[in-house]
Amino acid sequence: MSVDTILLKGKPVAEAAYERLKPRIAALRGRNVIPGLAVVLVGDDPASAVYVRSKTRAFQNMELVSETYNLPATTTEKELLQLIDRLNDDEHFHGILVQLPLPSQINSQTVLERVLPLKDVDGFHPDSLGRLLAGEPRYIPCTPQGILEILNHYEIPTARRHAVVVGRSTIVGKPMMALLANKWGRGNATVTVCHTSTPDIAAHTRQADLLIIASGQPHLVTREMVSEGVDIVDVGVNRVPDDSPKGYHLEGDVATDDMLGLAHAITPVPGGVGPMTVAMLVSNTVLAAEISSGAAS
Ligand code: NAP
């Protein structure tokens, strides 16, 4: 039997999120507070530069403050930590984002932990992750938070379902599994997590009612690996070289077309999760401004 697969596009969900933020931003303006984000970009990784530009554009569209600090690839850890200290003390910036990956001479964890927890709008600081696990989240990492918004918007249930998460990074997989397994919010799923030491991921993905894939492996999950009616969130953004003028195209961790007629719903790549990650960064920065101005706790 063939089903009409629903495309879970991120743009309308992101637009709805921006609309909900507008009155909160207006209220902050009324108190002379304009939410501000400092973005730190080290080196010249082209994909990172694209991500930073799209984040900056979102802040400009909402007439918020966003300043990017471009540092050379040779920057030392000490120099980067000194900049983070300055940004921690700068009250114009309610949030600080350190674009990953960082060059190999810099310990990413040391840098992420130097950001003040109150300015950790990416949600990668142990304080933010610990709060999430304790059921008292402050800043939820942007991509998993955005995925929950997509599920909410398209009324894809999580409770009483089997969710399979492929990937266990701190950025996507781990916070995603915590959110889905939570007793509060959009959780109450039974969660299985797969990674490179899972002997047969297809044995798990076939059991999924809801499949979240964040492996960074183009087209890792194929039609034969899922069951009819599954809801799929494809987080992967992979640059695959080709003969086009750009020299590459983007592919997800799933071939979207492969799943049409089989899955109940799927996020496209590009245009699915990506817009939500940016919208949730704006949302977390607005929350940070509210906290620092006493309008939220
Ligand atoms: P990551 O840190 O590289 O983690 C990848 C995870 O997938 C790891 O846990 C790894 O397992 C697992 N994995 C890799 N190959 C696998 C395989 N063959 N079978 C099973 N598990 C496998 O990546 P990430 O930061 O989580 O990002 C994942 C993808 O999402 C990337 O394509 C990234 O570009 C994309 N992404 C998109 C957005 C967005 O806004 N759309 C945001 C963030 C990330 P091990 O732990 O065992 O190594």
Side-chain angles (χ1 to χ4, degrees):
M1 203 179 71
S2 177
V3 293
D4 263 343
T5 304
I6 303 163
L7 277 186
L8 306 173
K9 293 187 182 165
K11 202 169 163 212
V13 192
E15 277 165 4
Y18 289 125
E19 281 307 310
R20 285 199 307 274
L21 286 174
K22 281 181 182 167
R24 290 168 58 189
I25 293 169
L28 283 164
R29 265 183 209 284
R31 307 170 63 162
N32 289 324
V33 177
I34 301 176
L37 175 75
V39 179
V40 181
L41 177 60
V42 187
D44 43 23
D45 177 57
S48 292
V50 171
Y51 294 141
V52 167
R53 273 201 297 279
S54 74
K55 289 166 185 170
T56 307
R57 212 175 308 124
F59 275 75
Q60 283 167 349
N61 288 344
M62 299 296 281
E63 297 178 354
L64 305 180
V65 173
S66 162
E67 201 161 318
T68 302
Y69 292 78
N70 283 293
L71 304 183
T74 51
T75 302
T76 63
E77 187 174 301
K78 191 171 168 209
E79 287 166 334
L80 181 53
L81 292 174
Q82 282 168 347
L83 173 61
I84 303 288
D85 289 343
R86 267 195 4 249
L87 297 173
N88 278 337
D89 289 339
D90 189 332
E91 61 187 27
H92 293 102
F93 299 122
H94 305 95
I96 300 170
L97 179 151
V98 182
Q99 184 65 43
L100 300 175
L102 291 170
S104 56
Q105 74 276 15
I106 298 173
N107 182 321
S108 302
Q109 197 55 33
T110 307
V111 172
L112 294 178
E113 289 185 21
R114 192 69 157 242
V115 173
L116 273 183
L118 278 172
K119 295 195 176 191
D120 175 43
V121 289
D122 247 343
F124 299 157
H125 192 286
D127 183 90
S128 302
L129 294 166
R131 282 170 181 272
L132 177 58
L133 281 182
E136 293 178 356
R138 184 190 280 143
Y139 304 121
I140 300 175
C142 301
T143 302
Q145 189 184 163
I147 291 170
L148 290 191
E149 293 262 340
I150 290 179
L151 298 177
N152 247 339
H153 183 93
Y154 291 99
E155 298 181 352
I156 305 283
T158 54
R160 309 179 68 84
R161 300 183 88 199
H162 182 201
V164 175
V165 180
V166 181
R168 57 178 167 186
S169 72
T170 309
I171 294 171
V172 191
K174 275 191 200 142
M176 194 74 246
M177 76 183 169
L179 287 163
L180 289 168
N182 263 325
K183 202 160 182 171
W184 47 270
R186 187 162 271 270
N188 285 308
T190 303
V191 184
T192 298
V193 182
C194 300
H195 40 73
T196 54
S197 294
T198 305
D200 177 10
I201 69 165
H204 302 283
T205 54
R206 270 191 216 108
Q207 304 288 324
D209 303 312
L210 172 62
L211 184 56
I212 315 267
I213 309 155
S215 71
Q217 303 298 318
H219 297 185
L220 176 73
V221 176
T222 57
R223 197 176 172 88
E224 299 69 40
M225 294 168 68
V226 301
S227 295
E228 187 175 307
V230 62
D231 292 311
I232 302 177
V233 176
D234 184 358
V235 186
V237 180
N238 306 294
R239 284 186 173 213
V240 178
D242 63 17
D243 296 333
S244 68
K246 249 205 255 177
Y248 69 91
H249 64 278
L250 295 181
E251 281 182 10
D253 290 357
V254 180
T256 311
D257 290 350
D258 210 21
M259 299 299 176
L260 299 181
L262 179 67
H264 167 260
I266 185 167
T267 57
V269 177
V273 175
M276 288 313 296
T277 297
V278 180
M280 295 303 99
L281 177 66
V282 177
S283 174
N284 278 351
T285 307
V286 170
L287 176 60
E290 289 172 339
I291 292 171
S292 79
S293 67
S297 55

